[in-house]
Amino acid sequence: MKRFSILTLEEGSRLQWRRIERDYYKATGDWGFYLLPPCIILPELDAIDGDINIGNGIFSPDKKAAIHNGITILPIDDSRLSALSPDAGIFISCSGKTSDYLFPEEKAKIKGIALIETDWSSSRIIRFRPLKRDR
């Protein structure tokens, strides 16, 4: 089992990203997005304690997917996230596949941080805590 952190999305943002992921599935057949809820994955961060500065809590991912350590993500080039995990991005799939699919320009608004555990066939949230914006 592997443990790492994710930034969870506020309800409106979560629903919008789920629609985007379903459109991606319809276009590519990649069902791997079902492993996690729509979120920003922080693969190198395995603890959620301490101060986590997310500023206004709004992040803009790239429109083109990339693969980092076998995980398909939409990279986010933002210093707030780079300090936590250099390979941060919107989780797209655990399949490790990429395509020429272009995602729509959509922001992600953060609600909190969670520690998850996964074996890449299922996952579970171990801990969650809300985060404060604009401190």
Side-chain angles (χ1 to χ4, degrees), residues 63-101:
K63 294 170 67 173
K64 183 87 171 118
I67 298 174
H68 291 286
N69 297 322
I71 303 168
T72 306
I73 64 167
L74 291 180
I76 299 175
D77 184 21
D78 190 298
S79 61
R80 297 170 292 172
L81 293 180
S82 298
L84 300 171
S85 179
D87 293 331
I90 295 280
F91 175 81
I92 297 299
S93 176
C94 62
S95 69
K97 297 177 185 175
T98 188
S99 68
D100 291 333
Y101 187 84

Side-chain angles (χ1 to χ4, degrees), residues 7-128:
L7 294 172
T8 61
L9 306 184
E10 286 195 339
E11 187 68 9
S13 190
R14 184 187 68 76
L15 292 172
Q16 182 61 26
W17 275 100
R18 185 53 87 194
R19 283 190 283 277
I20 290 168
E21 289 171 340
R22 278 195 295 263
D23 291 343
Y24 169 75
Y25 169 73
K26 289 176 187 173
T28 66
D30 184 355
W31 54 265
F33 72 92
Y34 283 112
L35 179 68
L36 296 174
C39 64
I40 296 175
I41 187 170
L42 305 168
E44 290 85 10
L45 187 63
D46 59 1
I48 62 172
D49 299 320
D51 187 36
I52 297 175
N53 178 14
I54 59 168
N56 66 1
I58 299 173
F59 296 94
S60 299
D62 288 350
K63 294 170 67 173
K64 183 87 171 118
I67 298 174
H68 291 286
N69 297 322
I71 303 168
T72 306
I73 64 167
L74 291 180
I76 299 175
D77 184 21
D78 190 298
S79 61
R80 297 170 292 172
L81 293 180
S82 298
L84 300 171
S85 179
D87 293 331
I90 295 280
F91 175 81
I92 297 299
S93 176
C94 62
S95 69
K97 297 177 185 175
T98 188
S99 68
D100 291 333
Y101 187 84
L102 285 178
F103 288 82
E105 193 170 312
E106 181 68 35
K107 295 186 184 314
K109 191 170 185 181
I110 302 306
K111 177 181 183 178
I113 189 165
L115 183 63
I116 67 159
E117 187 174 70
T118 185
D119 62 3
W120 301 114
S121 64
S122 65
S123 64
R124 67 184 181 122
I125 293 178
I126 308 261
R127 273 184 67 209
F128 171 82

